Amino acid sequence: MAIRTDALTRREQILKEAARLFAERGFHGVGVDEIGAAVGISGPGLYRHFAGKDAMLAELLVGISEQLLTGGKRRAAEAAGNPGAVLDSLVEGHIDFALDDRPLITLHDRELDRLRDSDRKLVRQLQRQYVELWVAVVREVYPDLAEPAARAAVHAVFGLLNSTPHLGRPGALPGRAGTAALLHRMARGAFEAAAVSAPG
């Protein structure tokens, strides 16, 4: 859920700071007052925008799952007819998420089980659709890759791309453009390796 840095609404500001604080200190380690202070309003003032921390967490995790799926479908439609270009575009879109929304990756890993059942099921449903979108494209690019292997490769690439919160200090990386290019080469290399090892 790459939140715009220009002209953020108050609701978006709250979500951005909540994601950052939850990722840094854990869901239960952050109080409503702290989130409010981060955006310049009182803790109780947050309740004009959200019912509570649980609602913020749900909107963050459901929201990013919806955004990834919607963005993936849009990218697939824009490059329709060229499977290689669709795959490159999907990789680029996921890299943007992985580099720009690192707190949400941490949040998903640590706090997904805190969502109420209906929200957690919705996140999982959206994620499955996103995976299947990728699987279909990967199999178009690499037709010898069986469906189970393609699905495993997609999950492996997600793991690679979603490792960004663990890449170290920002100054230790080759810059955003360099990191994005590196991740793209590694993702496509992983799919190539999966296809090379496929029986055929």
Side-chain angles (χ1 to χ4, degrees):
M1 149 183 241
I3 297 174
R4 300 187 315 275
T5 55
D6 58 326
L8 289 179
T9 67
R10 180 49 59 96
R11 189 179 181 86
E12 288 170 335
Q13 290 173 343
I14 292 168
L15 287 173
K16 181 180 179 181
E17 291 305 316
R20 179 182 65 81
L21 290 168
F22 291 159
E24 287 176 0
R25 303 214 304 274
F27 181 74
H28 287 304
V30 178
V32 175
D33 290 341
E34 293 169 272
I35 299 170
V39 295
I41 61 177
S42 69
L46 287 179
Y47 293 110
R48 290 197 296 271
H49 302 277
F50 296 95
K53 289 197 310 176
D54 289 339
M56 292 179 212
L57 182 65
E59 184 154 337
L60 285 165
L61 294 182
V62 172
I64 189 55
S65 298
E66 289 174 336
Q67 183 177 313
L68 284 170
L69 178 58
T70 300
K73 288 178 176 178
R74 176 181 49 77
R75 287 172 175 274
E78 288 172 351
N82 185 338
V86 173
L87 184 56
D88 279 331
S89 186
L90 288 175
V91 171
E92 288 166 9
H94 200 97
I95 287 171
D96 285 343
F97 156 66
L99 291 177
D100 298 337
D101 289 310
R102 295 187 202 189
L104 290 177
I105 296 173
T106 301
L107 209 55
H108 179 277
D109 289 346
R110 291 183 188 164
E111 312 290 359
L112 181 63
D113 287 345
R114 298 194 190 284
L115 294 182
R116 61 185 181 180
D117 286 347
S118 59
D119 288 327
R120 188 168 58 252
K121 287 177 182 175
L122 178 56
V123 168
R124 293 300 193 197
Q125 178 186 6
L126 292 165
Q127 289 174 339
R128 281 194 296 272
Q129 292 178 54
Y130 184 57
V131 167
E132 293 311 310
L133 172 66
W134 278 66
V135 169
V137 174
V138 167
R139 294 197 70 209
E140 282 191 81
V141 179
Y142 305 105
D144 291 337
L145 199 56
E147 187 173 313
R151 188 170 293 106
V154 167
H155 281 290
V157 166
F158 287 172
L160 186 159
L161 299 180
N162 291 348
S163 68
T164 52
H166 312 291
L167 292 181
R169 303 182 316 278
L173 301 177
R176 192 192 188 287
T179 302
L182 173 63
L183 290 171
H184 197 128
R185 290 194 303 273
M186 293 177 72
R188 287 305 301 261
F191 288 128
E192 293 283 351
V196 166
S197 65

